[in-house]
Amino acid sequence: MKTVHVAAGIIRKEGSDELLAVQRGYGNMQGLWEFPGGKLMRGETPEDAVRRELMEELQVKVTNLRDFYTVEYDYPDFHLSMECYYCSLADESDEPQKHDRQLDIRWIPRTSLATVEWMPADKGLIDALIELKEDRLEANGTANDAEATTNDEPASRPKRAPKRRSKKRPKPGLLDGIDTSDLSADERELVRRRAAIKKSMKGNKRANTKPELLVRQRLRAAGLTGYRLEWKVPGKPDIAFPGRKIAIFVNGCFWHRCPKCNPSQPKRNVEFWEAKFRRNVERDRAAINALTQMGWTPITIWECELKKDRIDATMEKVIEQVRAAEPQRKGRAVHTPHTGKPHPRHKP
């Protein structure tokens, strides 16, 4: 199923809890409500798409984009993956203008979002927004004053010598450089959680992982050298023997959903993770089917099969499969019968 990547901006009205929504004025979902945004253009980041789309749709400039939610939804003809951003109007005096493709635009209180009919894909997002608490962080001066009062020491107590500061630099926080002063505690937690997911996914190496290095070490020890890494065939197998038409995939159990150890699934943002895992499994299956049709032998090695008590048995089977595949002979030159005329390459 084709995946359509979309980015949407959620603008809150200054000094209130109202969010800007637009009513679709075209297509078979005309009349339904959604947050403004649109498809990503080639080479465009989701943040750039939000800025461009909101300028084209509403004639406003937005700033302070904070990624906080991803919508994953299967429509009949395509899969929608939509990145959602809290954002602010660059100029609060600007009033968003309705586009020709919109029936209406409206500022809707967050707790009243369910009073209008939303696009099917947005219903999970709307539920999450309604459940958020209303406490704001922008007026935290009172809390800071209370904390300062609690920490004040009586004048009669002798002063302690200041502690020596550690020379170690504090680790950067996930929200460093992100302005969340206009968000509630729950909204800030959504932004922090999304940043943590992105950091985790960036740290997930594509190549030269520890399981892959173990497999390559065992193959070399068995005298099976001459393999290629990320060979350009369907799925880009981690290890490939092109001459033998062997493709080896070393899959992480969590990301590729190992059927042997049945890894756990995140309990938060379940819809996002289910869709991501489903796409990973579908992509793996499509690559294996394509390789099989091309005459290749795909081999999948799961991370859990490379543990100390299982790696010997696992690699013994893999090595046997690789050795059993005879190297493909290169095509021989076609013999041309002698006609009495000199060959074109041999001048008389």
Side-chain angles (χ1 to χ4, degrees), residues 271-282:
E271 188 179 74
F272 166 79
W273 287 111
E274 285 181 347
K276 179 170 183 60
F277 293 148
R278 184 172 62 252
R279 293 198 304 273
N280 287 349
V281 172
E282 290 175 353

Side-chain angles (χ1 to χ4, degrees), residues 324-339:
E326 295 184 2
Q328 302 291 320
R329 295 182 179 181
K330 296 182 179 179
R332 296 180 177 179
V334 179
H335 175 69
T336 305
H338 182 64
T339 59

Side-chain angles (χ1 to χ4, degrees), residues 7 49 103-104 119 155 173 187 220 241 251 255 273 302 308 338 344:
L103 295 178
D104 192 12
M119 298 280 288
E187 288 172 330
R220 289 194 301 270
F241 291 88
N251 287 349
W255 294 106
W273 287 111
W302 294 98
K308 290 183 179 180
H338 182 64

Side-chain angles (χ1 to χ4, degrees), residues 205-237:
K205 295 197 298 183
R206 172 66 181 85
N208 295 324
T209 62
K210 184 177 179 180
E212 183 182 336
L213 293 175
L214 285 174
V215 173
R216 282 152 54 178
Q217 182 184 21
R218 292 298 183 102
L219 291 173
R220 289 194 301 270
L224 296 173
T225 58
Y227 52 77
R228 298 292 183 267
L229 305 181
E230 297 189 6
W231 193 248
K232 293 183 179 180
V233 290
K236 287 188 177 180

